[in-house]
Amino acid sequence: MEVAAGAGVAELPGALPHLGYPPRQATGRGAAWHRGDCHVHSVHSDGELDPEELAAQARAAGLDFMATTEHNSAARAGVWGHLAAADFLIMLGEEVTTKTGHWLALGLEPGEVVDWNHQARDGPIDQHLDQVHRRRGLCVAAHPHAPYPSGDFQFPIRGFDVVEVWNGLWTSNRPWNADNEATLAEWGRSLATDLRTGSWRPAMGNSDTHLDVQIGTPHTVVFAEGLNTGAILTGIRAGHSWIAESADVEVTFTAEAEVDCLVVGVGEQLTTHGGRAEVQAAARGVPEGTVSFHTDRGKVHQAPVPRGGTDPVRWDTTAKESMFVRIEVPHPSGDVAALTHPITLV
């Protein structure tokens, strides 16, 4: 995916200055990789920071966008609008907190609330998901294995667009835990079946910020055609993204066909014409880390991150051997620093 230079400052469409809501579009850098955190709580639900503090910390963490996801309530008028900027997008959302699981509704309209008074025993929740989809928004299964009442996701995953495989911790500096490990393993196992049926579900990582200095750990890095709500959600929906523990981590991941030298990136499909494909991955900001390659056969290759992180780790395969390839970048401790969506081979 080629990254184009951004245009000059222009009027921001979708702004509602008289209502005090953030505009749906920022000027940004045009088509580029954008970093953002889509699960954040302020003092307007059960967070400890006010919106000004959250926005300032998000920008200090190197983020280009964030989403407001207060529990079972809409973002308030006049609270977030003045914090958006030409280079910083604030999207509207909600954490729908039910008795049998939490989910994120991203891309809502100003003042819109999704009803949270439903649970798995009531049957399908299609009407609630449809409300979000009518806005071209995303429904995200949040922290599916959170170890507390209501946090463990009991709804059928059908109808949800994305799974939050990496959720930050409330009271610890460790960005990774066993709950995330279980969700990542479950999502990884589902890829082969879901890719075969054309219904694979992308993943994302969010901080679930409630406390000081949590925002951005982790976050999702999305390739989008612009810094606006529609483009960001489209990139997430398509799987053109990867997850990082911080803005210090940078990952590149491509596959090249032996036959015609075609190169594709994360979330894309590579036509190999029956030949071999070389997969390359590089990671910066993960000293002493490793790069592991995962396919429908599980983890198939692992190598140290080259010193400096600029030289790629290479591995080759075929579409017959591997339906897809994705990578994880763990620290020596085993805690994950980054992970990507798959590149599909045909």
Side-chain angles (χ1 to χ4, degrees):
M1 286 176 277
E2 184 178 353
V3 178
V9 175
E11 182 180 354
L12 304 182
L16 297 169
H18 59 293
L19 295 178
Y21 289 106
R24 293 179 63 89
Q25 179 166 324
T27 303
R29 294 170 284 121
W33 291 97
H34 301 89
R35 294 176 181 265
D37 192 340
C38 291
H39 192 167
V40 174
H41 300 282
S42 78
V43 293
H44 294 284
S45 56
D46 62 347
E48 292 189 354
L49 302 180
D50 61 36
E52 287 78 8
E53 291 172 312
L54 284 171
Q57 290 190 11
R59 302 192 70 168
L63 302 186
D64 303 296
F65 67 92
M66 60 174 285
T68 69
T69 54
E70 311 291 13
H71 289 284
N72 301 335
S73 60
R76 296 184 182 183
V79 170
W80 293 98
H82 66 290
L83 301 174
D87 60 348
F88 186 64
L89 175 73
I90 300 177
M91 302 190 299
L92 300 182
E94 173 190 350
E95 182 173 13
V96 184
T97 308
T98 81
K99 294 180 180 178
T100 54
H102 302 181
W103 57 279
L104 307 177
L106 302 179
L108 298 180
E109 294 296 316
E112 183 177 12
V113 178
V114 177
D115 180 24
W116 64 93
N117 190 24
H118 56 270
Q119 52 188 308
R121 69 172 66 174
D122 300 329
I125 63 171
D126 295 354
Q127 63 175 325
H128 304 294
L129 303 180
D130 289 345
Q131 176 185 344
V132 181
H133 290 150
R134 285 194 298 271
R135 307 296 189 200
R136 301 186 69 181
L138 290 182
C139 301
V140 183
H143 48 64
H145 292 289
Y148 51 81
S150 86
D152 200 351
F153 198 78
Q154 300 296 317
F155 294 104
I157 202 68
R158 179 185 58 82
F160 286 89
D161 307 294
V162 183
V163 177
E164 189 182 63
V165 303
W166 189 348
N167 179 269
L169 296 185
W170 285 21
T171 58
S172 171
N173 291 326
R174 293 187 66 237
W176 189 253
N177 59 31
D179 312 323
N180 292 323
E181 192 71 48
T183 305
L184 176 59
E186 187 175 71
W187 174 77
R189 285 193 298 269
S190 73
L191 279 177
T193 299
D194 292 346
L195 283 167
R196 188 176 67 250
T197 60
S199 60
W200 77 286
R201 191 167 286 100
M204 72 184 313
N206 299 302
S207 69
D208 199 356
T209 288
H210 287 74
L211 308 177
D212 192 26
V213 199
Q214 288 184 322
I215 196 164
T217 305
H219 63 266
T220 303
V221 189
V222 187
F223 187 86
E225 293 301 322
L227 188 55
N228 62 78
T229 297
I232 293 294
L233 297 182
T234 295
I236 295 172
R237 183 183 290 109
H240 294 159
S241 61
W242 55 278
I243 306 171
E245 68 174 355
S246 75
D248 293 333
V249 177
E250 185 67 46
V251 168
T252 58
F253 177 45
T254 60
E256 180 177 359
E258 177 186 52
V259 174
D260 56 10
C261 299
L262 178 67
V263 179
V264 303
V266 62
E268 298 183 323
Q269 179 174 286
L270 178 67
T271 301
T272 64
H273 304 288
R276 301 197 70 79
E278 182 182 73
V279 184
Q280 297 188 18
R284 287 182 292 176
V286 194
E288 311 301 327
T290 58
V291 176
S292 60
F293 295 77
H294 301 251
T295 75
D296 45 318
R297 295 181 288 132
K299 184 165 72 173
V300 293
H301 183 64
Q302 181 172 303
V305 173
R307 188 173 297 276
T310 55
D311 295 330
V313 176
R314 293 178 168 85
W315 181 72
D316 68 286
T317 187
T318 66
K320 185 175 181 179
E321 295 169 346
S322 307
M323 177 186 292
F324 65 86
V325 185
R326 65 179 183 87
I327 66 166
E328 297 177 15
V329 184
H331 291 288
S333 65
D335 289 352
V336 173
L339 60 95
T340 76
H341 282 115
I343 292 174
T344 309
L345 306 178
V346 294

